[in-house]
Amino acid sequence: MADGNGASRREVIQLAAGGGGGLVLGFSLVGKGEAASSAARLNTYVTVQPDGWVEVVSKNPEIGQGVKTSMPMLIAEELDADWSKVRTVQADSDPGLYGRQFAGGSMSTPLHWDELRRVGATGRALLIAAAAKSWGVDPATCSTEPGRVVHAASGRSAGYGSLASAAAALPAPDPRSLKLKDPKDFRIIGQPMAQVDTPSIVTGKPLFGIDVVVPGMLFATFVKAPVFGAGVEAADLDAARAVKGVRKAFRVEGAGGTEALSPGVAVVADTWWQARKGRDRLNIRWKAPSEPGLSSRDLEARMASTARSSVDRIERHDGDVDAALKGAAKRIEATYHYPYLAHAALEPQNCTAHYSKGRMEIWAPTQNPEAGRQLVAKTLGIRPEDITVHLVRCGGGFGRRLSNEYMVEAAWIARETGAPVKLLWTREDDIRQSFYRPAGWHKFEGGLDASGQLVAWHDHFLTPGQGVQTARSAGMSATEFPARFVPNFRYGLSILPSPTPTGPLRAPGSNGISFAVQGFIDELAHAAGADPLAFRLKLLGEQGLVGTPGRDGYDAGRMRGVLKKVAEVSGWGRTRMAPRQGQGVAFHFSHLGYFAEVVQVRVENDGRIRVEKVWVAGDVGRQIVNPSGAINQVQGSVLDGLSAALGQEITLEGGAVVQGNFDDYRLMRIADAPPVEVHFVLSDHPPTGLGEPALPPAPPALCNAIFAATGKRVRRLPVDPALLVAS
């Protein structure tokens, strides 16, 4: 994702502070050539209290990726605050103050690394100026220690709290004129910091959307058709209303499609369990869909038929692939498939809404609050400025909460009910009414010359969509590796019609593409009689950056660096494996991060897989903001990828999703989770995000390890242990 505000000039503005003469700093993001005015977007971030405590606003949604800690760390570092006296405050959704607020694409660090540090640096400059004015000295002769301004020549010092009122009266300097800290002087950035919400999480204090309580609040459930978009034929509303505690039961005709408000039936009650009991008595008859419901078998048949025919269109063609394949010493073919996946965040979708006197107030665990506000406004016919969105911590997002239909549902039900309402989905709702990671099929052909060099690559990629358009998150870039690294390269695309709604899931696109591409590369290495890691290094070659930085750039040197590092730390090629034990390697570039991983497995004779350990090497630039949070994100990404590869698949029957809970959509259990050893390779590039790029290499490294242990190739996910039974 990219920041759409186009900001190129940043100025700090001084705001009047309420409550005890505190100092409030803000940022105004304005477009090039614009003047800061009352209409400019203002971002207030920092408050220094008279007692020395510093409150730092975290503007973006916290979904478990740690930005509520790491983003305030950037500000506090340049402010030279005492981190032990910093309070983090979650912002509400307010694009007028904060610009774009979202959690997605691993973009929080790259978008705010410079901007937020300058917020802190400007605050520090004001505090120094206030102290220097008080002492009658040159500000250049003053410095800071955590929470204090110091004048070494006279031995004087003053705490930030005592300087706050005076600093608030001074004109703010141009943040671009300020010198930021040398990284060697960092006191906060680069130190492992506990997440600011951890005490509340481990003690069970209300924190998440599911915990929100509003006076006079009722509870709602909303049932939708198992076949996406189908309408309500009939429902026994009186039976639902007869349940004790049920206040209302009514049909919703739907508006705006699946991504806004689907047809369904709402039940509102004093407690959620009463609402659920009323729902169970609705006896809904759904309208027949306009087209026969699609099944997974139908999709498989369509895929097989399409794979045998020519591609819909060629997305990239370098060299002469057909001639190179014909002249190859070895020619390898394989078909890979990965399924639809649900996000299955531990906190089901929920939202609390209150409509009163023409205004809507919403408490939402959302990754994209402004998009939610606009969607509610459009669907309900309310002015966006009459909608307030409070951001509450998400119990997982993984891209699912970039869609906001549950916000619209809660707002609609609240307006119909005339009271505050908390809408809470069931687990079955969450899994069966999602925007799924798209399924995909890759039909590969590869050619090796007599020396084992890869000289030809053809990928016929089959993916869901409609007409000529791929479904959301179902496309593949024409520069996806190994494009530009194979002299004769062809990528053809075919679109399979599918009504299943799709959307981004952690490392969109990459989480499936990497499994297929890195699996086939492993097959080519085996056919060449080469070590899989050495084959990959040879494929990357000796070149550096390929393409344009920030657009289609791919730095082969950085990828070689993480490959060599993971080989070193994993003992690749030096560790003696027992029978049915093996190591597999894979790498992938996504979300500006370069990652290579080695997985070690043992496959029992009955086909059961035990992942023994994972080693990870990643390059996300020159600085790790919060090592504790960074390691957590990498480990979580790897376990997420392994969990999906080992046990997760969404299938369709008659147009409806079959899976519904964690008994048939299995998440990895603690006992199955292997140790994940994380290493960062620092490089001289701006720091980038960590929520997603460590996931894509995990599934192919796992499957390549299974091949090393058993000699059996996994070309379809999830892994089927029955195919790995010792013969």
Side-chain angles (χ1 to χ4, degrees):
M1 297 181 183
D3 188 353
N5 60 35
S8 59
R9 184 158 66 96
R10 299 176 172 88
E11 296 179 80
V12 172
I13 63 164
Q14 182 182 326
L15 300 176
L23 168 67
V24 179
L25 297 177
F27 247 23
S28 174
L29 304 184
V30 294
K32 186 176 182 180
E34 296 177 7
S37 68
S38 59
R41 297 187 298 169
L42 307 178
N43 288 333
T44 55
Y45 288 96
V46 178
T47 303
V48 180
Q49 298 291 352
D51 62 2
W53 276 86
V54 177
E55 292 182 356
V56 180
V57 171
S58 181
K59 77 169 194 174
N60 280 2
E62 173 60 77
I63 62 173
Q65 82 281 42
V67 294
K68 194 175 175 182
T69 304
S70 63
M71 291 176 70
M73 286 174 66
L74 300 179
I75 297 172
E77 178 64 73
E78 295 293 345
L79 185 67
D80 213 0
D82 178 352
W83 185 251
S84 69
K85 298 188 71 176
V86 172
R87 297 188 188 100
T88 298
V89 179
Q90 176 65 62
D92 281 340
S93 174
D94 192 336
L97 285 177
Y98 300 107
R100 192 174 179 194
Q101 298 166 269
F102 71 97
S106 298
M107 292 303 293
S108 291
T109 296
L111 287 178
H112 299 101
W113 167 253
D114 182 77
E115 173 191 318
L116 293 185
R117 289 168 65 212
R118 291 194 182 280
V119 169
T122 308
R124 178 173 174 270
L126 285 171
L127 292 161
I128 287 175
K133 183 177 180 180
S134 172
W135 298 331
V137 300
D138 184 348
T141 64
C142 297
S143 61
T144 58
E145 296 175 352
R148 302 188 70 80
V149 178
V150 176
H151 186 245
S154 64
R156 286 176 289 190
S157 71
Y160 285 178
S162 67
L163 299 167
S165 294
L170 297 174
D174 182 346
R176 296 167 298 177
S177 69
L178 301 175
K179 183 179 180 180
L180 298 177
K181 282 187 178 182
D182 188 306
K184 67 180 176 57
D185 297 323
F186 285 165
R187 294 186 173 107
I188 297 173
I189 294 174
Q191 297 301 310
M193 299 294 185
Q195 302 295 319
V196 296
D197 283 340
T198 297
S200 295
I201 292 172
V202 299
T203 56
K205 292 182 179 178
L207 187 65
F208 298 91
I210 204 169
D211 298 322
V212 169
V213 175
V214 176
M217 184 179 76
L218 300 175
F219 293 81
T221 183
F222 185 53
V223 56
K224 295 177 283 189
V227 176
F228 302 108
V232 180
E233 183 72 41
D236 193 344
L237 301 179
D238 289 337
R241 293 169 184 147
V243 173
K244 181 180 179 181
V246 170
R247 300 289 190 93
K248 286 181 176 289
F250 53 89
R251 287 171 54 167
V252 176
E253 296 305 321
T258 305
E259 294 186 29
L261 185 66
S262 293
V265 181
V267 179
V268 182
D270 294 332
T271 69
W272 186 83
W273 185 244
Q274 290 169 334
R276 174 62 190 270
K277 289 176 69 176
R279 166 180 171 156
D280 290 342
R281 297 189 183 184
L282 286 169
N283 192 29
I284 302 174
R285 293 199 313 275
W286 301 103
K287 293 179 181 178
S290 56
E291 296 182 7
L294 196 68
S295 72
S296 295
R297 292 187 299 275
D298 298 329
L299 276 174
E300 291 282 346
R302 289 183 184 181
M303 183 281 297
S305 175
T306 305
R308 289 191 294 268
S309 61
S310 60
V311 300
D312 288 349
R313 62 180 184 263
I314 298 296
E315 297 287 284
R316 185 185 187 97
H317 196 169
D318 301 329
D320 190 335
V321 173
D322 292 331
L325 285 171
K326 184 177 180 180
K330 288 186 179 180
R331 185 168 176 172
I332 299 92
E333 297 184 11
T335 299
Y336 280 72
H337 167 58
Y338 44 89
Y340 287 103
L341 291 179
H343 302 75
L346 289 184
E347 179 190 31
Q349 310 311 315
N350 66 88
C351 182
T352 301
H354 184 202
Y355 183 73
S356 177
K357 299 178 180 178
R359 296 187 60 85
M360 184 72 72
E361 191 169 10
I362 294 173
W363 294 260
T366 172
Q367 293 181 241
N368 201 357
E370 181 55 21
R373 185 203 315 271
Q374 296 296 331
L375 189 62
V376 170
K378 180 179 180 181
T379 309
L380 275 70
I382 302 172
R383 298 190 310 165
E385 55 267 33
D386 290 334
I387 302 172
T388 299
V389 180
H390 304 288
L391 300 184
V392 288
R393 187 180 175 107
C394 304
F398 316 117
R400 175 60 180 89
R401 287 182 161 99
L402 290 168
S403 298
N404 289 293
E405 83 283 17
Y406 56 95
M407 286 178 63
V408 177
E409 293 167 4
W412 188 283
I413 295 169
R415 189 175 66 174
E416 293 295 310
T417 301
V421 169
K422 178 192 285 185
L423 170 70
L424 176 60
W425 288 21
T426 66
R427 174 61 60 197
E428 290 78 9
D429 292 338
D430 188 70
I431 290 180
R432 291 174 177 158
Q433 300 287 342
S434 192
F435 296 92
Y436 302 95
R437 192 283 298 273
W441 295 263
H442 293 258
K443 188 175 185 298
F444 292 115
E445 293 180 81
L448 300 165
D449 65 15
S451 68
Q453 181 76 27
L454 180 59
V455 294
W457 177 286
H458 170 70
D459 180 7
H460 182 183
F461 177 40
L462 301 95
T463 192
Q466 297 293 335
V468 299
Q469 184 65 44
T470 61
R472 281 202 307 162
S473 301
M476 183 172 74
S477 168
T479 58
E480 184 71 53
F481 187 87
R484 302 175 291 187
F485 290 84
V486 182
N488 304 288
F489 180 95
R490 184 170 59 213
Y491 155 36
L493 177 68
S494 291
I495 295 175
L496 302 175
S498 172
T500 307
T502 64
L505 184 148
R506 199 172 193 175
S510 298
N511 51 40
I513 293 166
S514 179
F515 158 69
V517 168
Q518 289 290 316
F520 189 57
I521 288 175
D522 218 65
E523 294 200 47
L524 291 165
H526 181 70
D531 173 82
L533 195 143
F535 185 85
R536 285 169 168 81
L537 287 172
K538 185 177 180 181
L539 182 56
L540 287 164
E542 297 302 321
Q543 54 195 324
L545 179 69
V546 176
T548 305
R551 297 184 66 186
D552 62 353
Y554 191 103
D555 195 323
R558 295 177 74 181
M559 193 61 84
R560 288 195 301 271
V562 295
L563 263 174
K564 291 176 180 178
K565 182 64 176 181
V566 83
E568 171 196 336
V569 297
S570 67
W572 180 268
R574 305 188 307 276
T575 304
R576 185 173 180 178
M577 296 288 113
R580 295 182 67 82
Q581 184 185 37
Q583 288 187 341
V585 64
F587 67 78
H588 198 78
F589 167 67
S590 77
H591 297 80
L592 306 178
Y594 295 81
F595 277 82
E597 298 170 17
V598 169
V599 173
Q600 182 169 309
V601 302
R602 181 185 298 274
V603 182
E604 305 297 342
N605 288 336
D606 61 2
R608 285 181 296 119
I609 302 158
R610 182 158 62 91
V611 183
E612 296 181 322
K613 189 168 182 178
V614 182
W615 294 265
V616 183
D619 179 350
V620 289
R622 68 176 67 96
Q623 183 67 58
I624 305 299
V625 176
N626 182 1
S628 176
I631 291 170
N632 175 274
Q633 282 301 290
V634 172
Q635 291 174 331
S637 294
V638 169
L639 296 178
D640 209 358
L642 295 177
S643 180
L646 288 169
Q648 294 173 15
E649 179 180 23
I650 289 295
T651 58
L652 302 170
E653 190 64 51
V657 171
V658 174
Q659 292 73 25
N661 213 312
F662 293 146
D663 57 341
D664 54 9
Y665 192 80
R666 194 178 190 278
L667 273 63
M668 179 179 281
R669 273 49 171 181
I670 291 176
D672 300 324
V676 180
E677 184 178 312
V678 180
H679 298 266
F680 292 108
V681 177
L682 301 183
S683 61
D684 193 20
H685 297 87
T688 54
L690 274 169
E692 294 165 283
L695 187 152
L702 165 72
C703 295
N704 294 338
I706 290 171
F707 173 77
T710 66
K712 298 179 180 180
R713 205 45 92 172
V714 177
R715 299 190 181 101
R716 183 187 185 95
L717 294 179
V719 179
D720 184 356
L723 301 178
L724 305 178
V725 174
S727 53

